[in-house]
């Protein structure tokens, strides 16, 4: 991936699935996420095998994507610390610098496998996260992950 700076680049990626993450340590507030695989730069060169993004307004505006749909977006390449930073007995700190694509904008649908009208996500965060949970309910239950908002 290109080294971090404030310049914006155009990328594309293949939609894999949605998810959610908790945004607080008490696991009371969740936010939607989207997984893209085979992220390519403007020249069509794969820069990373996958990236998780927050389900921003730009991604939500596309409607509910199907696996294999290709989306493109602009973003900045930013460094971040990857690994464990905390202090736990018996757990050693091991951090490395990795890179992510930050602040995706101008998100567009480039290619789709599904020509049908796309269903929209809810505009309320709590119903959006529950909607995602229902889409992958079997997988979440297998892994013991409860519904984010009951």
């Amino acid at each position: 991936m290109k080294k971090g700076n404030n310049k914006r680049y155009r990328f594309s990626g293949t939609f894999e699935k949605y998810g959610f993450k908790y945004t607080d340590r008490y696991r009371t507030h969740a936010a939607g996420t989207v997984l893209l695989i085979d992220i390519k730069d403007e020249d069509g060169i794969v820069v990373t095998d996958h990236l998780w993004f927050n389900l921003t307004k730009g991604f939500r505006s596309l409607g509910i994507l199907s696996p294999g749909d290709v989306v493109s977006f602009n973003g900045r390449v930013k460094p971040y610390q990857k690994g464990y930073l905390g202090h736990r007995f018996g757990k050693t700190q091991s951090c490395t610098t990795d890179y992510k694509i930050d602040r995706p904008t101008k998100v567009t649908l480039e290619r789709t496998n599904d020509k049908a009208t796309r269903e929209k996500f809810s505009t309320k965060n709590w119903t959006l996260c529950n909607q995602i949970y229902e889409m992958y309910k079997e997988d979440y239950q297998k892994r013991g992950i409860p519904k984010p908002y009951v």
Side-chain angles (χ1 to χ4, degrees), residues 17-128:
K17 68 178 185 172
Y18 293 106
F20 63 88
K21 66 180 180 180
Y22 289 99
T23 58
D24 65 324
R25 68 187 303 181
Y26 301 108
R27 300 171 82 77
T28 56
H29 299 288
T33 58
V34 59
L35 173 61
L36 299 180
I37 60 172
D38 300 328
I39 310 295
K40 298 177 183 175
D41 64 10
E42 302 112 348
D43 301 322
I45 298 168
V46 175
V47 293
T48 187
D49 62 345
H50 78 282
L51 284 175
W52 282 97
F53 292 95
N54 289 330
L55 190 53
T56 61
K57 184 178 178 181
F59 286 112
R60 285 194 320 262
S61 71
L62 301 176
I64 296 177
L65 299 171
S66 300
D69 288 351
V70 176
V71 298
S72 63
F73 57 93
N74 292 347
R76 294 182 179 131
V77 177
K78 293 283 185 179
Y80 73 96
Q81 290 298 311
K82 180 179 179 180
Y84 180 71
L85 286 170
H87 303 283
R88 283 193 191 142
F89 180 73
K91 186 101 170 154
T92 58
Q93 290 186 342
S94 59
C95 292
T96 58
T97 299
D98 205 352
Y99 295 90
K100 65 180 179 177
I101 300 173
D102 200 28
R103 301 178 186 262
T105 58
K106 299 184 181 173
V107 181
T108 57
L109 183 61
E110 296 295 324
R111 193 174 68 238
T112 182
N113 295 330
D114 185 11
K115 302 293 183 202
T117 305
R118 296 186 178 285
E119 188 179 330
K120 296 284 184 191
F121 275 114
S122 171
T123 56
K124 294 180 180 157
N125 185 59
W126 71 273
T127 53
L128 179 144

